[in-house]
Amino acid sequence: MRRVVWVAGGGFGVLGLFVAFLVIGVYTAGTAPVTGSGRGGGQLARDTVPPEYEELVQHWGNLCDTLSPAILAAQLGQESGWQTHVESHANAQGIAQFIPSTWATHGIDANGDGEANVWDPADAIPSAASYDCSLAGYVEDVPGDPVDNMLAAYNAGPYAVIQYNGVPPYEETQNYVRIIRGAEASFAAPPEDTVLPPLEQAATAVHFAQEHLGTPYEWGGDGTPEDGGRFDCSGLTKAAYAEAGIELPRVANDQWNAGPHPERDELLPGDLVFFAYDLEDPRSIHHVGIYVGGGYMIDAPYTGATIRFDPIDSPDYFGATRPVAG
C-alpha cells in the first residue's frame, strides 16, 4: 500500500525491526495458541504481539483464506513496529500505515463507535486485514504465490502486481514481501507435536546471525580478530550457536550430525539447513545456513559476497538439523 520508509542501503534499515520481532517469536513460539473464529484457521503463537492487539490479530487474521494471523502480525510489525501514532514522510498513518486516500475507501469502523479512525488500532488492524483480503481478490488471477501477490499489492498497489504478472521488480516491494514471509513463521503457533529447539538458544543463534548481516565472507573465517570479524558458512553457524552455548563442529558436513533432522515442512527458525553435491551422501555437503522462516536462511555464501538472506529451496537442498546441546 505505501512505500516502505525504513528501507535503506539495500534493505538493512528495515531488518533491525525484523530482528526484534523474529527473535521474540522464536522465544515464544512454543507457548499455547489463542483460539480465533476466522475462516483461515491459523493460530497465533501467544506473546508474539503486544497483548492489547493479540485478540484483534488472531480474529481478523483469519478473515480470508489468503491471510493468517501470523502474516497479519508480521505485516503490522513491518509497517509500524506496532506504533499507533507513527506517520511516514509519504503521509502513511497509524499502526497499519494507511495513506488517507486508501483509508477513505477501505477504512472501517470495526469497533462500532461511529468513527473509522486510522489512529485507532481497533479500527486500523481490522481494516488492514479487510484491505489485504480485498487485494487478494483483486490479484487472484495473477500467477505466483497468492500471499506474496497480496502483500506486494499492499505495498505497491494491485495494478503493479497485475502489470508485472506477480511481485513487481521494485527492490522495496520485493524486500517487503520477503521480510514479512520470513517473519511469518516466528508468529505462527507450531503444531502441538512439533519438537522445538531450545527456544532461547535458537533465538540467540538467529539474533547473532542477523547482527552480522553485511559482513564480508572469508574462506575459513571464524569471526576472530585475525579474520577481521569475517566468516565462512560453517564458521558463522558455529559462532552463532557458540553464542547460544551449543558447541558445533567446525565443518558443515560434520554439523549435519549435531541434532535431529526435521523435514522441510517442519523447519523452525534456528534450524541449520544444508546443501550438498550428492543428495544421497551427507559427506558431499558443501554449504550451511541458519533458517529464519518463510523459506529463507541467513548464510555466508561465497568469496566476494556478504552475509545475507538467501532462499533455501534450490536443487542442492539436502536437509536440516536442529542443534541440541551435547
Side-chain angles (χ1 to χ4, degrees), residues 22-119:
L22 178 61
V23 172
I24 290 169
V26 174
Y27 268 104
T28 55
T31 55
V34 179
T35 300
S37 57
R39 294 191 296 134
Q43 298 296 328
L44 185 69
R46 192 180 295 277
D47 298 327
T48 54
V49 305
E52 62 267 34
Y53 307 134
E54 192 173 68
E55 184 176 350
L56 281 169
V57 173
Q58 174 61 51
H59 178 80
W60 288 93
N62 283 307
L63 184 62
C64 63
D65 292 338
T66 313
L67 192 60
S68 71
I71 286 288
L72 182 59
Q75 185 178 24
L76 292 167
Q78 166 69 9
E79 288 286 348
S80 66
W82 305 97
Q83 300 175 79
T84 60
H85 289 88
V86 65
E87 184 169 3
S88 79
H89 65 80
N91 203 27
Q93 300 172 339
I95 196 169
Q97 290 289 278
F98 277 95
I99 59 174
S101 59
T102 305
W103 181 259
T105 304
H106 294 279
I108 61 176
D109 175 21
N111 62 4
D113 66 356
E115 178 187 10
N117 184 354
V118 71
W119 303 107

Side-chain angles (χ1 to χ4, degrees), residues 18-295:
F18 178 39
V19 168
F21 286 98
L22 178 61
V23 172
I24 290 169
V26 174
Y27 268 104
T28 55
T31 55
V34 179
T35 300
S37 57
R39 294 191 296 134
Q43 298 296 328
L44 185 69
R46 192 180 295 277
D47 298 327
T48 54
V49 305
E52 62 267 34
Y53 307 134
E54 192 173 68
E55 184 176 350
L56 281 169
V57 173
Q58 174 61 51
H59 178 80
W60 288 93
N62 283 307
L63 184 62
C64 63
D65 292 338
T66 313
L67 192 60
S68 71
I71 286 288
L72 182 59
Q75 185 178 24
L76 292 167
Q78 166 69 9
E79 288 286 348
S80 66
W82 305 97
Q83 300 175 79
T84 60
H85 289 88
V86 65
E87 184 169 3
S88 79
H89 65 80
N91 203 27
Q93 300 172 339
I95 196 169
Q97 290 289 278
F98 277 95
I99 59 174
S101 59
T102 305
W103 181 259
T105 304
H106 294 279
I108 61 176
D109 175 21
N111 62 4
D113 66 356
E115 178 187 10
N117 184 354
V118 71
W119 303 107
D120 186 348
D123 288 340
I125 291 174
S127 295
S130 177
Y131 186 43
D132 274 332
C133 292
S134 295
L135 292 169
Y138 297 158
V139 300
E140 65 181 351
D141 294 328
V142 176
D145 186 285
V147 176
D148 288 354
N149 289 339
M150 175 188 73
L151 293 172
Y154 197 99
N155 177 261
Y159 302 109
V161 176
I162 294 168
Q163 177 186 0
Y164 288 102
N165 224 25
V167 178
Y170 310 147
E171 182 179 4
E172 176 189 308
T173 301
Q174 291 177 347
N175 281 338
Y176 182 81
V177 173
R178 173 176 55 80
I179 291 167
I180 290 173
R181 295 309 301 270
E184 175 187 359
S186 68
F187 290 100
E192 292 183 1
D193 59 352
T194 299
V195 178
L196 293 173
L199 300 180
E200 184 174 350
Q201 293 166 332
T204 300
V206 170
H207 182 69
F208 180 94
Q210 298 250 12
E211 287 286 288
H212 288 82
L213 284 164
T215 301
Y217 176 97
E218 180 170 337
W219 174 260
D222 291 310
T224 63
E226 293 78 9
D227 296 325
R230 302 180 180 189
F231 301 88
D232 64 9
C233 66
S234 56
L236 174 64
T237 53
K238 178 177 171 61
Y241 267 98
E243 188 78 4
I246 294 179
E247 189 66 27
L248 295 178
R250 178 59 181 85
V251 180
N253 56 14
D254 292 334
Q255 291 179 4
W256 170 254
N257 297 312
H261 304 300
E263 297 296 329
R264 171 66 182 83
D265 61 358
E266 298 171 338
L267 290 179
L268 295 169
D271 290 343
L272 300 181
V273 285
F274 295 87
F275 305 83
Y277 297 114
D278 181 349
L279 299 186
E280 301 297 322
D281 184 4
R283 294 171 298 178
S284 72
I285 287 172
H286 61 82
H287 189 56
V288 61
I290 298 178
Y291 188 65
V292 296

